[in-house]
Amino acid sequence: MKYILETKSLTKSFGGVHAVDHLSINIPQGIITGLVGPNGSGKTTLVNVLSGFSGEDEGSIVFSGVDRKKILPWENQAYGITRTFQQIRLFDQMSVLDNILVVLTERSPLAALFERHGAYHLKIAEDILKRIDLHEKKSHHAGDLSYGQRKLLEMGRVLAMNSNIILLDEPFAGLFPEMVKKIEGIILELKKEGKTIVLVEHNMAIIRNLCDHLIVMDAGKLLAEGHPEKILAEKSVLEAYLGE
Amino acid sequence: MEYIFHIFILIFIYGILAIAQNLVMGSTGLLTLGGAAFYGIGAYTAAILATKFGVNIFASLALAPILAGIIACVVGVSFARFRDDYFMLATLGFLMIFHTVVRNWEELTGGAYGIAGISKPELFNFTFQTPASFLLLALAIFLLTLGISYRISRSSFGRVLNAIREDEDALKIFGYKTSSYKLLAFTLGASLSACAGVLFASYITFIDSNFFTINESLLLWSMIILGGIGRNRGAVVGAFILIIVPEFLRFVGFPTEFAGLLRQFIYGSLLVLLMLFRPNGILGKYKL
Ligand SMILES: Nc1ncnc2c1ncn2[C@@H]1O[C@H](COP(=O)(O)OP(=O)(O)O)[C@@H](O)[C@H]1O
Ligand SMILES: [Mg+2]
């Protein structure tokens, strides 16, 4: 397997809590890696550090051979990483369309000031909204959408970013079955496009259905890693869940 | 008639200030109390250049925004690490520094005496002396400002500013170096405010530091909050109402000092009532 993202002894603490504790993992390229573990095992913290949302305390992240310590949050795009948030973070008082457009347009301030974003970006944004069934809501404020639609809009933003590495933090949590199907479909399409996906998820049926590789965390440490079927049969993994 | 012209000239000047305040605070979410300082920098630039060097007000209209922009850039870079309420305190500090400098650098600013005898703008041997002609000039610059700010709001730059107001940390990881956007918005706002300052100085021909106190900054807050945060139209409506109302009170015969107090009282109550019952303002869709 070819690895696109590696962590080496990565550590992130809050006060005395080692949310991520000397974690060394490898994320294989072009497939879906499930990231599971009991609540509080550090999955979200790991996603935060991998996406540059928060800095690490120790250890390093190597991304396609580049040491991530030198990468600043806003350089994410250049390095091809994007993510969704477990606690949805949209630009609430902006239209649904603007929520997509803002991640499509020019990043430099002067270019943004003089750019006529015009037909090109608009077409991409509208296509994405159609793909996530939000085209009719395009001029609504993102904050006025239902919970499920907001989850979808976060997926729309991922589509617009068109990054190679996509970190999804519980994209299915609290969704009705049709919505789950919809997002599963999008994730599988992304995989078909050759994207590398890291999926944080609790539902084992979804994990079995989608994931090619599984990483189990417990208390910030790596508990097990390998093929989902094999890992989910392991005693230590079951114990970590039952002991929760 | 002249009185009506006078009121509209003030409305246009404050309209420019409110539009600038809206760009920085309404669109970008930067809580700045520095509005009055950049307004003052514009006014003093025009006053000093006109009285000491005989520089035409039109030249000041070009120079003052550049100077205010440079100062805003320097100030903005050092304030970049502050957020929200700290940023507000920092801009308050800046306003206080501005006052200290203006009051104590007497050779340049006239200190407590201020600067009198500021000239009217001149273009091709025509002097904008009459209220009517000055009104047209103020209107032209107001419309230019409005045009610029509409252009900004509709550009993807404006969209990024709104996203910064909504969730700066999230926006960063989508590839935006938000600090440069905030700096540019702050600088543009300062330049526009300075234009208003130049107009004001030339219009009333006398300035001192009392025109540019924190009350002025708070008045700008009231204007954009009343009109509706984040909307250019709202800023204009807010400026219109908050200039008209006190003038109206004076017009119906309240004594000046009483009108002054009442005016403060009205601004204060308006802000509190709006925050309680309609935090989005009259035309507004957004909250800070
Ligand atoms: N911002 C924070 N401040 C303090 N503690 C935190 C913070 N974020 C996470 N933690 C702690 O870190 C641990 C891991 O949390 P998290 O990464 O959210 O786990 P998971 O996503 O696996 O449920 C928990 O003990 C949590 O309380
Ligand atoms: Mg989590």
Side-chain angles (χ1 to χ4, degrees):
Chain A
M1 249 185 284
K2 185 163 183 281
Y3 298 111
I4 191 165
L5 191 58
E6 298 163 52
T7 74
K8 290 180 185 151
S9 198
L10 193 67
T11 300
K12 173 82 183 173
S13 312
F14 300 101
V17 182
H18 299 302
V20 172
D21 194 0
H22 296 92
L23 185 72
S24 300
I25 54 168
N26 300 307
I27 308 290
Q29 184 168 4
I31 61 174
I32 305 176
T33 298
L35 180 59
V36 299
N39 270 324
S41 55
K43 304 180 296 292
T44 296
T45 306
L46 177 61
V47 168
N48 283 345
V49 175
L50 289 179
S51 62
F53 192 70
S54 51
E56 67 272 22
D57 296 335
E58 275 174 56
S60 62
I61 303 167
V62 180
F63 165 67
S64 299
V66 187
D67 191 333
R68 207 178 133 103
K69 263 211 179 109
K70 297 178 208 86
I71 305 175
L72 297 161
W74 52 82
E75 291 169 339
N76 257 323
Q77 193 206 13
Y79 287 86
I81 300 180
T82 194
R83 67 170 294 180
T84 64
F85 294 88
Q86 183 178 357
Q87 305 287 333
I88 302 173
R89 292 180 85 140
L90 293 167
F91 308 113
D92 280 345
Q93 301 185 84
M94 287 167 57
S95 73
V96 167
L97 183 63
D98 277 342
N99 267 269
I100 299 294
L101 279 173
V102 77
V103 301
L104 282 173
T105 49
E106 293 280 351
R107 280 353 188 228
S108 110
L110 287 176
L113 194 54
F114 295 107
E115 172 209 45
R116 297 174 190 278
H117 55 260
Y120 175 68
H121 289 134
L122 193 63
K123 167 100 174 51
I124 299 176
E126 302 228 344
D127 286 348
I128 288 171
L129 289 180
K130 283 177 192 146
R131 209 164 144 191
I132 57 172
D133 294 336
L134 284 179
H135 193 256
E136 265 138 56
K137 301 258 177 192
K138 67 176 178 181
S139 43
H140 288 55
H141 274 183
D144 295 338
L145 298 179
S146 72
Y147 174 79
Q149 289 170 330
R150 287 162 59 73
K151 282 263 178 200
L152 272 175
L153 188 52
E154 275 220 350
M155 287 304 294
R157 205 161 54 178
V158 163
L159 293 173
M161 285 294 288
N162 196 23
S163 306
N164 273 325
I165 303 179
I166 300 166
L167 314 173
L168 304 172
D169 197 354
E170 307 207 11
F172 302 106
L175 292 186
F176 293 116
E178 325 81 272
M179 220 57 124
V180 171
K181 277 268 153 317
K182 183 96 212 157
I183 291 183
E184 275 186 330
I186 293 173
I187 293 175
L188 287 171
E189 280 171 40
L190 286 170
K191 179 186 167 187
K192 215 175 278 166
E193 290 168 23
K195 311 290 190 195
T196 301
I197 296 160
V198 176
L199 174 65
V200 179
E201 180 51 43
H202 283 297
N203 182 324
M204 290 307 151
I206 293 179
I207 293 282
R208 284 200 169 86
N209 187 15
L210 292 182
C211 297
D212 312 291
H213 187 74
L214 193 61
I215 291 173
V216 187
M217 284 178 73
D218 190 26
K221 294 197 170 71
L222 179 66
L223 187 66
E225 182 177 20
H227 192 271
E229 290 302 341
K230 191 174 138 261
I231 296 293
L232 289 177
E234 266 178 35
K235 209 166 139 243
S236 59
V237 173
L238 293 173
E239 270 167 8
Y241 271 99
L242 294 174
E244 187 185 334
Chain B
M1 203 58 202
E2 302 231 322
Y3 180 60
I4 306 258
F5 287 166
H6 166 70
I7 290 176
F8 272 90
I9 288 170
L10 288 184
I11 287 174
F12 292 143
I13 290 175
Y14 276 88
I16 296 170
L17 289 170
I19 287 168
Q21 183 76 19
N22 184 53
L23 175 68
V24 180
M25 181 163 135
S27 303
T28 322
L30 295 170
L31 301 177
T32 173
L33 283 168
F38 295 112
Y39 179 39
I41 286 170
Y44 271 98
T45 306
I48 292 164
L49 289 180
T51 56
K52 294 209 160 40
F53 305 99
V55 173
N56 190 330
I57 293 298
F58 277 104
S60 291
L61 270 175
L63 291 173
I66 294 173
L67 178 66
I70 291 170
I71 295 174
C73 232
V74 173
V75 169
V77 166
S78 33
F79 288 2
R81 80 192 86 135
F82 300 124
R83 295 184 83 159
D84 302 338
D85 30 4
Y86 292 102
F87 183 81
M88 191 168 91
L89 282 177
T91 54
L92 176 61
F94 172 64
L95 179 57
M96 289 160 79
I97 292 169
F98 167 75
H99 267 263
T100 312
V101 170
V102 164
R103 257 187 264 118
N104 292 295
W105 196 351
E106 289 185 8
E107 308 92 85
L108 193 67
T109 64
Y113 298 106
I115 300 177
I118 305 160
S119 56
K120 298 286 188 206
E122 254 186 74
L123 194 64
F124 306 122
N125 290 329
F126 178 79
T127 310
F128 291 77
Q129 192 74 49
T130 63
S133 62
F134 205 96
L135 178 75
L136 287 178
L137 177 64
L139 173 65
I141 292 171
F142 166 76
L143 288 178
L144 187 67
T145 308
L146 193 62
I148 291 173
S149 64
Y150 263 110
R151 178 67 205 267
I152 291 174
S153 320
R154 286 175 187 165
S155 68
S156 43
F157 181 80
R159 189 185 301 116
V160 175
L161 296 187
N162 289 337
I164 290 173
R165 178 192 66 207
E166 295 299 306
D167 192 341
E168 184 179 352
D169 288 331
L171 186 65
K172 270 187 197 161
I173 66 151
F174 294 112
Y176 283 100
K177 192 174 175 199
T178 53
S179 53
S180 0
Y181 278 82
K182 292 197 289 186
L183 186 63
L184 192 50
F186 190 65
T187 304
L188 285 169
S191 295
L192 294 177
S193 305
C195 283
V198 174
L199 278 179
F200 181 74
S202 170
Y203 176 58
I204 63 164
T205 70
F206 163 78
I207 57 165
D208 66 19
S209 64
N210 294 324
F211 285 112
F212 313 106
T213 62
I214 184 166
N215 282 339
E216 229 51 28
S217 291
L218 287 174
L219 175 58
L220 299 179
W221 278 48
S222 315
M223 284 172 175
I224 68 162
I225 290 172
L226 177 68
I229 290 285
R231 315 198 75 188
N232 292 312
R233 234 180 309 163
V236 176
V237 169
F240 181 82
I241 295 176
L242 287 185
I243 294 297
I244 286 277
V245 168
E247 290 296 336
F248 176 78
L249 287 178
R250 262 219 322 240
F251 189 74
V252 297
F254 282 97
T256 317
E257 310 123 55
F258 182 67
L261 286 177
L262 194 63
R263 169 178 168 162
Q264 301 274 351
F265 180 75
I266 290 177
Y267 297 163
S269 329
L270 257 177
L271 276 180
V272 174
L273 286 175
L274 274 166
M275 284 306 157
L276 282 175
F277 298 110
R278 192 159 166 74
N280 299 357
I282 292 177
L283 294 182
K285 299 193 285 190
Y286 310 111
K287 286 181 228 173
L288 275 179

